[in-house]
Amino acid sequence: MNALAVEERKAVRLADIRPVLERLAAGGKLVAPVAEAGGFAFRRVGQAEKVRLDFYNTAESPKDLFFPQSEVLFSYDAAGIAVPEPAGEQVLLGIRPCDLAALPLLDRVFGEGPFRDPGYLARRERTVLVAVACDRPRASCFCTSFGLSPGHVAGADMVLYPDEGGYLVRAQTEAGEALMAEWPGEAVAPGEAEAVAARYRSMETPLGRRIRLEGVAEALDGMFDHPMWEQIAARCLSCGICTYTCPTCHCFQLTDEAKGEAGKRVRCWDSCMFPEFTRMAGGHNPRPDKKARVRQRFMHKLNYFVRRWEEYLCVGCGRCVESCPVGLDIAYVIEAVQGVTARA
Amino acid sequence: MSVAEREPKIVGFLCNWCSYAGADLAGTSRTSYPTSVRVIRVPCSGRVNPQFVLRAFQLGADGVLVAGCHPGDCHYSTGNYFTRRRFLLVKRFLDYLGIDQRRFRLRWISASEGPKFAETIREMTEELRQLGPRDAAAVEAHAE
Amino acid sequence: MRSEAVRAAARRLLEEGKVVRFLGHAPGFDPTSPFPQLITRAEEAERLVLDHFCAPNLAKYLLDYETQEGVTAVVLKGCDALGLARLLADHRVARDRVWVVGLPCPGMLDRDKAAALLPGVQEARAEGDEFVLTGAGGERRVAAGQVLLDRCLVCAVPTPDDADELLGEPVPGRPVPREEDAAVAALEAMTSAERKAYWTEQFSRCIRCMACRNVCPACNCRSCCFDSEEPRWLSRVTDGPAQEMFHFVRALHVAGRCVDCHECERVCPMDIPLMKLNHKLLQDVEELFELERAFVPREVEPLGIYRPDDPEEFA
């Protein structure tokens, strides 16, 4: 990788992005937001007109593209063992700053330490990330609470900044520049591109104005046995909406699907909100009730992960705020913790 | 063997008291019928939970047969009346989900109806052969 | 709407010691999505609200207190009360351990519809057959039909008939044109292959979060076949056959038991039209077994009984 600073990379203005989308879609490698029943989703797209860059955050995060809900690790039959081919290349267009910020967190889990996840890393490696600066935060968005912003685009190969009715496109890596070389558009002076980027970086988010993280991890150090957990867990449905739509949740289970002499080992998402998550073979369950499970999820995100990696395991994407049918989302819990510290 | 030539697979849930004995009679009478059926003996057709049927389909069955005593003749007096109610719904629901109704049958076969059992299997096998595999991809995946 | 009334009821019941806990609703970040709130002390009553956005059905939470001491008070709308009736008929909850604070329900609003009609909507009040939405974007008067939840448009049971106390005068049910039947009929009119394609597409979005099961008052088994490791009825693998299995079995397990409360569909984060499955079964139950209002729980459920002269289609 060459060491060009982002500011020195190429930037162009695209009045009309459709020709670019058409070219990408024709290449068969494009994954982008499309409209689906009740919202948006990242899907592999063959026709450019399906791409919806006017989307708001997808119901599911794009983590599935790197850490699929079900992934065959190997299969076997009488003839031997077969390991699936590593994933092919893809261009993920339209990833938002919040989801982009979730990837380095997943990288730590799957890509650091003695056990590295080859499937995950291969998909990360082979994905070109074309981020879009966020021009439509929802009422539930609070990435700014985590020091991020609608203009936080670190880690993207290329960024689309919605600007003046079109897009200002800026490469951030060599891969981004390579992709951009095929794109039309008039070159933009570095200073102009930086001004647009800075404008997005200084944008606020609706819920971000309200959710304050100061002292939350520290306060939680002493709150394992706090009665607050009992109160807030009372309404939990024990469903997996929050964990499955979350861009940073990454728990999984392994399952063997066998029939006769053939079978496969599959890795599937799991959720700490399910009672079976910690149920042991003998029937004992160390997290027997909703209180223990709800506490685990939020302690992990707001305390354990911080202690281990010095970062919160949340990017403020607002999906749990939108989707939790009973309002037991992380913003609510952060405020509840702040409420406890304020009273103390 | 290609999917098209494949012998259909039928999973048959047969009640212990009537239909299983009926199948037995077909055998002891040397009545010939296709080898397409895999029999699972159940105490009563009322034991057959609809999820057994879907599970069979999921594991690669092309058709599912549930067979029990004639209404009124249940060894447990009333078990098959419940079966009938339940499968009136199941039959329609399978169709509603786009699973061809012809892949599922419920038949009343008594212990003395060996020929009816053989005929049922013959008919069903023929019909399933015409319909082809339920899900070619699933069949390939589960092929033995 | 009735926030003051529900606070007063909670305060009174907890102060008198008639109940030890009170299940109501409290405002969320977004005032258009209040969430379930449990309180145990009279002073906490201030937290409660009861407005036109209180859609969540609180009946299922009663299972959480099954083994705990004391009476639980719960705020129930007409539809929610059918959920309680379900739990009572299934012997999962004892009636004398529940105090029902009934809300004669004027209909709950669909927050997405409301937000589409008035972006930034914060509040709503009923005025005759209209609702007045207010919020950052000003005020807007809309017809009830534009903004009510689909289920409320055809509600036959707005007032709980088994309440220990009612917050207001009983409300008459709306005539039920059963528009859902049209949705089922449209699917029935398709070819088998088209239906298969339709459901495959719908089910492919399912992330198996189990929210539909967990919120359902009819899904009240102590242990669920979907959680069983041995035998493993449902693979965690989210491929087509497993998704079909899950949705088929979920719907059939509540066949003849579904109370038509639409909570499964409301909580689904992927907007899968689960009520099109439930309504099909509900219609068939009514038609085949000659029942009326099969969504109302009864002593013996339709599949727990038979008639010797039930339709014979099996020969």
Side-chain angles (χ1 to χ4, degrees), chain A residues 160-182:
Chain A
L160 306 176
Y161 292 97
D163 191 46
E164 294 176 7
Y167 290 92
L168 190 146
V169 188
R170 190 190 214 184
Q172 300 206 117
T173 64
E174 231 170 294
E177 240 167 34
L179 184 61
M180 199 181 213
E182 305 165 15

Side-chain angles (χ1 to χ4, degrees), chain C residues 25 32-34 51-57 77 79-80 105-114 117 131 133 142-156 174 179-180 260-267 271 275:
Chain C
H25 302 84
T32 64
S33 67
D51 59 25
H52 289 290
F53 292 103
C54 289
N57 179 353
K77 307 181 286 289
C79 51
D80 307 340
C105 179
M108 290 293 153
L109 305 192
D110 185 317
R111 57 187 290 232
D112 294 333
K113 289 184 192 171
L117 290 163
F131 282 94
L133 308 177
V142 296
Q146 282 178 278
V147 73
L148 282 175
L149 284 166
D150 289 348
R151 75 195 199 203
C152 302
L153 290 172
V154 293
C155 179
R174 289 169 192 275
E179 272 179 41
E180 308 101 335
D260 201 14
C261 74
H262 292 236
E263 279 289 271
C264 51
E265 203 171 271
R266 186 184 66 83
V267 300
D271 289 300
M275 286 312 293

Side-chain angles (χ1 to χ4, degrees), chain C residues 158-238:
Chain C
T159 310
D161 63 358
D162 183 28
D164 295 296
E165 60 183 281
L166 277 184
L167 301 175
E169 292 303 310
V171 180
R174 289 169 192 275
V176 186
R178 292 297 287 266
E179 272 179 41
E180 308 101 335
D181 294 0
V184 172
L187 268 164
E188 286 172 337
M190 294 180 184
T191 66
S192 181
E194 284 167 345
R195 274 197 297 275
K196 173 85 182 152
Y198 173 82
W199 287 117
T200 303
E201 202 276 305
Q202 297 296 332
F203 296 160
S204 73
R205 291 203 309 281
C206 176
I207 55 172
R208 220 78 81 57
C209 65
M210 308 310 252
C212 50
R213 173 195 68 176
N214 291 7
V215 80
C216 175
C219 270
N220 59 39
C221 294
R222 285 198 164 79
S223 67
C224 174
C225 65
F226 296 138
D227 297 336
S228 158
E229 289 284 335
E230 193 55 54
R232 176 93 60 94
W233 285 106
L234 180 69
S235 165
R236 276 279 174 91
V237 179
T238 44

Side-chain angles (χ1 to χ4, degrees), chain A residues 2 63 113 197 215 219 269 289 291:
Chain A
N2 73 21
K63 76 176 170 190
W269 290 356
D289 52 18
K291 177 187 83 178

